[in-house]
Amino acid sequence: MLTKKELAVQKDLETKLYEIRRHLHQHPELSFQEHETSRFIASCLKEWGIAYQAIGETGIFVDIIGENGDGAHIGIRADIDALPIHEQTGLDFSSKNPGVMHACGHDGHTSILLGTAYQLYHLKSQLSGRVRCIFQPGEEADGAAEQLINLGVLENPSVDAMLALHLWPHLPHGTVGVKYGAITASCDDFEIIVEGKGGHSARPHQAIDAITISSQILQALPTLVTKASNPVEPVVVHVGKISGGTASNVVADKVVMEGTTRAVNRETRKRLAAQVTEMCQNIAQAFGGKVIVNYKESHPPVINSDWVTKALEEGAKELLGPEKVFQLKEPSMGADDFGAFTEKVPSTYFRLGVAQEGKPAFDLHHPQFEFHESIIPVGVELFTHVIMSRLHKGVE
C-alpha cells in the first residue's frame, strides 16, 4: 500500500490542476458541443506524454496499463459539459461564454480525472491491471453515457468495475458521502397530448373540453405515487408545463402537458411508463376524448454495487479518516447518466463535499454555485488510493 506521502499531489501538479480548472471554468461548453474542451483535455495529456483515444465527437479516454502483472480493469468517469446558465459567482475566472456556465462542478470532475491519470501514469510500475479514464460529454443531455457504451468504451478489454464522483454542496468540504444501493433516481420525460372537440363555451354539450380532461389527468397522476407505489420507496410524477386553449369563450380542442417521472428502482421505472399511459387513455376515453402519450426514457437510476462501494468506503476512511466519511441516508431524486454504466458493470458513484464553513452553499445548477479548488487534490488522491490499495489486484 502506498503511503500518504507517495499518494500526495505534488505542488507543481497541484498548481497545474488549478490552472486547468480555471481554464475549463472560463470556457464552458454545452452538451455535445465540447470541442474546445476536448481539445484542451488532449493538450494536457500530450504535455504529460500520456496516450489517449478519441471516442464519439467529443469524448476521450485514457488507458493506464499497469506494469505489475495482471489485475482488474477499472474505469473512472468524469463528465465534461456545462449548463445553459448565466454565471453570477463574481469569480475572477468566471465564464467567458455568455449564458453558459460550469454550474454543476464538471470543471472540477474533469480536473480531478486529469490529475488521477497523471498520478496513475507515474505509478504504473506498481499498478496491476489497467485503469481507463473516461472523459464523457453530454451528461446534462440525454444518452451520452449510453452512446459511449454503444461505441465500446467498456470493451477491449472489458471493464470490470466503474467509479465516479460528484462534487456535493450538502457535505462539508473534503468529506465523502457513500450510499449502498440507489444513490440517484431515474429521469424519464413524458408529453401528454389531449385531443377533444372545439366549440362555443355557450354550448358545451356540443364539444369535448380538452381542458377538463387534462384537469382530471392532472389530479389523477399523483395517485401513481400515493396509491400505486410502495410508500417507503421514493417516486416522483410531476407535470411542469401545460399549454392549451385560445380564448375564454372557446372550448379547447387540444391541451399539451409535459412532465417527468423519477424512480430509484428499475422495475418501478418500467411500471410507471405503462401506468402513466394507461391512466391518461382511460380518463380521456371516459370523457369522449383521445390522448397520445409520448414517453421518453432518459437516465436510469444510479444503483451502486455493494462490493465496489465497500472498497471506496474503506479506502476513503484509510486516506481521510473515518470521521470524514458518511453513509448517505437517502438517495437523491436528481439523476445522472452514470446509471447507464451501473447497468453494465459493478460500479459506485459517490459524493465529495465542497461546503465551506461560514460561506453560503449554493446548490448544483445555481448561477452562484462554486467550490474551492483545494478539493481537486483530495479527489485525485482518493481515486488513486482506492485503485492502488483496493481495486487493482482483482474484482470482488
Side-chain angles (χ1 to χ4, degrees):
M1 185 181 296
L2 297 174
T3 65
K4 288 189 178 182
K5 184 177 181 180
E6 291 173 307
L7 286 167
V9 173
Q10 299 303 306
K11 193 65 180 178
D12 57 344
L13 177 59
E14 182 179 301
T15 300
K16 176 67 174 177
L17 294 177
Y18 293 164
E19 292 173 357
I20 288 171
R21 183 265 169 138
R22 293 184 175 212
H23 177 91
L24 291 168
H25 194 86
Q26 285 185 306
H27 302 91
E29 294 177 297
L30 297 175
S31 300
F32 301 113
Q33 299 176 28
E34 314 94 333
H35 299 284
E36 291 301 323
T37 301
S38 183
R39 279 191 280 269
F40 179 72
I41 293 168
S43 72
C44 295
L45 295 168
K46 285 179 183 177
E47 181 182 336
W48 293 334
I50 300 175
Y52 65 90
Q53 295 184 56
I55 184 166
E57 290 191 15
T58 54
I60 286 178
F61 71 91
V62 173
D63 275 349
I64 309 297
I65 302 173
E67 298 173 351
N68 191 30
D70 295 333
H73 185 189
I74 307 301
I76 314 175
R77 193 269 336 233
D79 31 21
I80 68 174
D81 55 333
L83 286 156
I85 294 174
H86 182 72
E87 183 164 355
Q88 299 176 26
T89 63
L91 294 170
D92 58 9
F93 52 91
S94 292
S95 171
K96 293 183 177 180
N97 297 340
V100 185
M101 177 193 174
H102 271 297
C104 203
H106 295 186
D107 50 334
H109 302 170
T110 302
S111 303
I112 288 170
L113 188 52
L114 278 168
T116 303
Y118 179 96
Q119 293 287 75
L120 291 172
Y121 180 75
H122 289 276
L123 291 169
K124 61 184 178 180
S125 64
Q126 301 177 62
L127 174 68
S128 302
R130 69 170 67 200
V131 179
R132 178 163 292 174
C133 302
I134 302 168
F135 298 89
Q136 180 208 304
E139 187 276 328
E140 300 290 356
D142 293 336
E146 187 174 352
Q147 284 184 21
L148 293 198
I149 291 169
N150 291 337
L151 290 170
V153 78
L154 296 178
E155 302 168 6
N156 301 314
S158 298
V159 172
D160 298 307
M162 286 286 296
L163 300 172
L165 62 75
H166 205 297
L167 301 185
W168 197 237
H170 307 294
L171 286 174
H173 183 91
T175 62
V176 170
V178 300
K179 178 77 170 61
Y180 289 81
I183 185 170
T184 71
S186 61
C187 176
D188 299 323
D189 297 325
F190 58 79
E191 177 189 55
I192 301 169
I193 304 171
V194 178
E195 297 178 344
K197 179 183 176 183
H200 198 293
S201 61
R203 291 174 287 280
H205 60 291
Q206 296 176 357
I208 298 173
D209 191 350
I211 289 179
T212 297
I213 297 172
S214 299
S215 69
Q216 296 296 315
I217 291 173
L218 192 61
Q219 292 180 71
L221 285 174
T223 66
L224 296 179
V225 177
T226 60
K227 300 299 181 182
S229 298
N230 186 334
V232 300
E233 179 188 321
V235 172
V236 171
V237 180
H238 171 74
V239 174
K241 182 179 179 182
I242 303 176
S243 58
T246 58
S248 62
N249 62 345
V250 175
V251 176
D253 64 350
K254 182 178 179 181
V255 172
V256 178
M257 298 188 288
E258 297 177 31
T260 183
T261 61
R262 308 279 172 121
V264 296
N265 180 290
R266 291 176 181 135
E267 289 70 31
T268 301
R269 180 196 187 198
K270 292 179 181 178
R271 190 188 73 236
L272 279 172
Q275 288 176 321
V276 168
T277 301
E278 183 179 7
M279 176 175 283
C280 292
Q281 289 174 341
N282 289 342
I283 292 173
Q285 184 178 10
F287 284 84
K290 298 179 181 179
V291 71
I292 299 170
V293 179
N294 297 316
Y295 203 95
K296 181 182 179 183
E297 289 192 352
S298 183
H299 303 328
V302 176
I303 301 179
N304 287 336
S305 163
D306 284 354
W307 73 266
V308 186
T309 305
K310 183 178 180 181
L312 184 281
E313 181 181 16
E314 291 177 347
K317 287 178 177 178
E318 291 166 355
L319 181 70
L320 304 173
E323 73 281 359
K324 290 193 174 184
V325 181
F326 302 94
Q327 282 205 27
L328 303 174
K329 294 180 180 180
E330 56 193 24
S332 165
M333 296 310 284
D336 191 302
D337 72 350
F338 187 72
F341 289 107
T342 70
E343 289 188 324
K344 299 295 183 181
V345 297
S347 307
T348 200
Y349 172 100
F350 64 96
R351 308 294 194 181
L352 186 57
V354 295
Q356 298 179 70
E357 189 174 357
K359 291 189 66 176
F362 295 100
D363 204 356
L364 306 176
H365 293 211
H366 191 282
Q368 290 177 271
F369 171 78
E370 60 173 301
F371 62 90
H372 196 277
E373 55 199 9
S374 60
I375 199 64
I376 294 172
V378 176
V380 172
E381 291 167 10
L382 181 55
F383 270 144
T384 305
H385 174 65
V386 170
I387 286 169
M388 296 297 294
S389 68
R390 294 278 166 184
L391 295 175
H392 75 301
K393 284 292 184 182
V395 295
E396 187 177 10

